[in-house]
Amino acid sequence: MRTITKLLFLQLLFLNTANAEVVAAATPKEVELGEMVTYSLTISGEDITRPNIRRLCDSDVISTSSQTSMQITNGAISKNYMLSYKFVPQKSCVINPVEVEIDGKTESSNSVEIKVVPISGAKDLDFVLKLQSSKKELFVGEAFDLKLTFKQRSDAQAVESEFTPPELKGFWIKNESQPKRYQDSKYTITEIVYSIAPQRAGELKISQAQMRIASRGSRTSSWGDWIPTIKWKTYFSNELSFDVKPLPSGVSLVGDFAIKAIVDKSQIKANEAVNLTLQVEGEGNFEDIKSFKPQMEDVAVFDEKIVIEGKKLTQKIAFVADRDFTIPSFSLRYFDPQTKEVKEVSTKEIKIDVINEQIKEELVVKKEEAVAVHETHALPAKEYDMFTLVFIFIGGVAAGVLIMLYKPYLASAKKSKGGSIKEPKVLLAKLLAFKDDKEVAQIVEILEKNIYSADKIEVDKKVLKELLKKYKID
C-alpha cells in the first residue's frame, strides 16, 4: 500500500512539473492616455518564486494583488497563481517576457503588446493639467516662473484625487506660491507658480505632472442589476524642455541688481559702534550672494546673517574702532541676460570720524651706538667717613618705604587715567592689538557680542587672566 501511495505522489509531482507554465496577459490591451492597465501573470506549479516587478512600460506599478487556486483535472491536482500589476502607460509599448522560478526551474512568459491612443474629445475633458514657462532659453542661475494649471469642469465630480508634481532635476526651487483658485464659464481653475533656476548648463527637461482622479461609474451585473463603481484615471500635463547656457568665466550672479549702503552715523566716540545696512534690490539669484563682511586693520567688524525677502536682500554690519577709519566700497559683479553683458554696481566709501580718537604710538627702534673706550689713568677712589655712609644707608631705606606706601595709589591713578579693564569697552580696546592670538580673538568676539548685541556670554576668567598677564595688560 505504501508503495502505491509513493507512486501516486511521484506521478502527481511529475504532472505538476510537466504542466508548469507562465502566461502573461493585459486588460485592456488598447487604452487612452491616462487609463489604467492590469498586467497579469498566471502561473501553474507547486512552488514558485514571485518576480519583483516595479515598473512596466517605463511607468511605476501603482498596486499589486495575488490569488491562489487549486484545480483537479482527470485526477491530477494542480495549483495556479494569479499575480496582477496595475499601471498607467504613457505610450505604446511591448512588455518583454518575464522569468519565473517554478519548482526549481526557470520558466518564461509570453510578451504582451499594449497600445496607447490620444485622448478623444480633448476640448471637452473633465480635467486638464498644464505646465507653462516664461522662458525657454536661459543662463545658469537665471530665475524664471513655472506655472502649473489644473482645470476641472464645473459639472465633473471627483471622489478622490492624487497629485504627483513634475520632477525638477537640475533646477533649484526658490519659491512656491499659494494655490490661486478662480472660475470661468466652464471650469474651476487652480494655479500654482514655482520660481525656479537651472543649476547646470545643457538641455534640461521638466517631466509631466500627474493627477489621478477617482470618479463614480457603474456596471451591470450578470443578473442585470446596476452596480456603482469607482473608476480611476490619470491626467498628464505636457513636458517642458530648456536650453541652458553657461555664465561667463568668473561670474556667479545673473540678473539685474542695485546696491546701496546706509550708516546710522558718521561721527562716533572711540570704541563706539557704527551700524551699516547694505541693501541689494532687483532680479536674480540672491541666494548666491555671499556675506559682504570686509577685513579691516585696526577695526573690529562683525556681521549678521543675510536676509532675503522677495526681491530684496539685506545685511547689517557693525564697525568698532578707536581712531578715524573709512568703510570700504561694496560691489556686485553680475551677468545681465537682457544685454548679454557683465556689469558691476558698487557703493561709495564712507569716512567715519572718531571724536576722542586714541593716537597710535609709532614704535621706534633705535640702534645701539658703539661706545668708544679710551684708556685713561685711574683716579683715586673717594674716601667717605663712617657718618656719611650711615646717612646714605638711612636715606635709601626711607626712600624704599615711601615707594612701597605710595605704589598702590600710583597704580590706581594710572588705571583711572586709562580706564579700568573691568569695563568691557576698555578691555576690548586693549585686547584688539593682540587679536592675532586665537584665544584673544575668541574673547574679543564675545566682548563685541556682549557690547553691541543682545547676547550676554560669560568670559572665561581664568583664560582672560592668563592673557592679561601674558601681554602685560593692566
Side-chain angles (χ1 to χ4, degrees):
M1 188 66 179
R2 291 183 179 178
T3 303
I4 294 174
T5 303
K6 288 181 180 179
L7 288 173
L8 288 173
F9 176 77
L10 291 172
Q11 186 179 5
L12 290 173
L13 182 62
F14 173 77
L15 287 172
N16 287 340
T17 304
N19 293 330
E21 61 177 353
V22 184
V23 178
T27 306
K29 286 188 175 182
E30 182 174 325
V31 293
E32 285 188 351
L33 179 63
E35 291 184 339
M36 189 176 295
V37 173
T38 301
Y39 174 75
S40 61
L41 292 173
T42 303
I43 306 169
S44 300
E46 184 67 27
D47 183 20
I48 70 166
T49 301
R50 297 187 182 187
N52 185 17
I53 300 176
R54 294 185 178 180
R55 289 178 65 83
L56 292 168
C57 291
D58 293 329
S59 299
D60 291 335
V61 172
I62 298 172
S63 65
T64 62
S65 61
S66 63
Q67 292 180 349
T68 306
S69 62
M70 301 287 291
Q71 191 173 15
I72 301 176
T73 307
N74 297 326
I77 302 174
S78 62
K79 185 183 286 187
N80 292 328
Y81 298 88
M82 173 74 78
L83 306 180
S84 299
Y85 306 86
K86 292 186 177 183
F87 68 103
V88 179
Q90 299 181 35
K91 59 184 178 180
S92 298
C93 64
V94 175
I95 301 178
N96 295 323
V98 176
E99 293 185 345
V100 182
E101 187 177 334
I102 307 172
D103 299 329
K105 292 184 179 181
T106 301
E107 302 288 344
S108 297
S109 71
N110 53 297
S111 59
V112 177
E113 184 177 358
I114 296 174
K115 187 176 181 181
V116 178
V117 297
I119 299 174
S120 60
K123 293 183 179 179
D124 297 322
L125 285 176
D126 289 341
F127 304 94
V128 178
L129 198 58
K130 187 177 181 180
L131 285 175
Q132 293 174 287
S133 169
S134 58
K135 297 179 181 179
K136 296 293 183 181
E137 294 184 0
L138 55 159
F139 291 85
V140 174
E142 182 180 356
F144 68 98
D145 289 338
L146 175 70
K147 185 196 294 185
L148 174 66
T149 304
F150 177 66
K151 301 170 68 175
Q152 178 178 344
R153 284 181 65 93
S154 301
D155 57 351
Q157 298 296 322
V159 178
E160 192 176 346
S161 63
E162 294 179 2
F163 174 66
T164 303
E167 289 187 2
L168 300 175
K169 291 182 179 179
F171 293 90
W172 185 75
I173 303 175
K174 300 177 62 177
N175 188 37
E176 178 181 342
S177 72
Q178 293 295 323
K180 177 185 176 183
R181 291 184 176 86
Y182 58 95
Q183 188 88 26
D184 68 3
S185 58
K186 290 185 179 181
Y187 291 95
T188 299
I189 302 170
T190 304
E191 291 181 350
I192 298 176
V193 178
Y194 301 90
S195 179
I196 62 177
Q199 295 176 319
R200 62 175 185 270
E203 184 182 359
L204 298 182
K205 291 185 178 181
I206 294 179
S207 65
Q208 299 170 320
Q210 300 179 30
M211 180 70 82
R212 291 185 68 221
I213 303 291
S215 56
R216 298 187 185 279
S218 63
R219 67 180 179 85
T220 306
S221 69
S222 57
W223 299 94
D225 297 327
W226 180 82
I227 302 175
T229 59
I230 298 296
K231 183 180 179 180
W232 282 92
K233 186 171 182 177
T234 302
Y235 294 85
F236 297 92
S237 74
N238 54 307
E239 188 177 72
L240 295 178
S241 182
F242 300 87
D243 180 19
V244 184
K245 300 175 182 179
L247 290 173
S249 178
V251 179
S252 60
L253 300 178
V254 57
D256 187 16
F257 301 96
I259 185 173
K260 63 180 178 180
I262 305 169
V263 293
D264 60 346
K265 49 198 157 188
S266 59
Q267 191 176 68
I268 59 171
K269 297 179 181 179
N271 298 317
E272 187 180 356
V274 173
N275 298 304
L276 177 139
T277 302
L278 267 171
Q279 293 179 350
V280 180
E281 296 181 347
E283 297 276 354
N285 50 334
F286 287 95
E287 64 282 350
D288 291 326
I289 297 177
K290 298 179 180 179
S291 174
F292 289 94
K293 180 181 179 180
Q295 297 294 327
M296 299 177 64
E297 187 177 355
D298 297 329
V299 179
V301 183
F302 66 98
D303 60 332
E304 294 184 8
K305 289 183 179 180
I306 287 176
V307 177
I308 300 175
E309 295 179 346
K311 298 180 180 180
K312 183 177 180 180
L313 177 148
T314 305
Q315 184 177 29
K316 295 183 179 181
I317 304 175
F319 301 84
V320 182
D322 56 6
R323 60 185 65 86
D324 294 348
F325 66 95
T326 300
I327 297 176
S329 169
F330 300 94
S331 62
L332 275 181
R333 191 165 176 263
Y334 64 93
F335 178 77
D336 188 336
Q338 301 298 325
T339 62
K340 305 295 189 294
E341 295 177 340
V342 176
K343 297 181 179 180
E344 185 171 358
V345 291
S346 59
T347 65
K348 294 181 179 180
E349 293 183 344
I350 302 175
K351 293 184 178 180
I352 304 298
D353 296 326
V354 179
I355 298 174
N356 56 338
E357 68 172 338
Q358 298 178 8
I359 300 174
K360 186 176 181 180
E361 295 183 2
E362 201 173 313
L363 181 63
V364 180
V365 180
K366 294 183 179 181
K367 293 184 178 180
E368 186 179 352
E369 296 181 1
V371 180
V373 179
H374 300 282
E375 185 178 353
T376 57
H377 295 286
L379 296 175
K382 189 176 180 179
E383 295 182 0
Y384 296 96
D385 56 16
M386 182 61 66
F387 178 79
T388 303
L389 291 174
V390 171
F391 181 79
I392 292 173
F393 175 76
I394 294 173
V397 171
V401 170
L402 289 173
I403 290 172
M404 292 297 293
L405 290 173
Y406 281 94
K407 187 175 181 180
Y409 298 99
L410 292 172
S412 176
K414 184 179 179 181
K415 286 184 180 179
S416 61
K417 184 179 180 181
S420 173
I421 61 172
K422 291 183 179 179
E423 291 293 328
K425 288 187 178 180
V426 176
L427 179 59
L428 175 62
K430 294 191 175 186
L431 287 174
L432 282 174
F434 310 100
K435 63 181 180 181
D436 291 338
D437 187 316
K438 290 183 179 180
E439 292 183 334
V440 174
Q442 290 177 355
I443 292 180
V444 166
E445 184 178 356
I446 293 173
L447 290 172
E448 288 176 344
K449 290 182 178 179
N450 289 346
I451 296 171
Y452 304 108
S453 70
D455 295 341
K456 296 300 175 184
I457 306 171
E458 188 174 352
V459 177
D460 190 328
K461 294 181 180 179
K462 184 178 179 181
V463 174
L464 177 61
K465 186 176 180 180
E466 292 177 354
L467 291 173
L468 293 176
K469 183 177 180 181
K470 177 180 179 182
Y471 293 106
K472 299 178 180 179
I473 298 173
D474 52 16

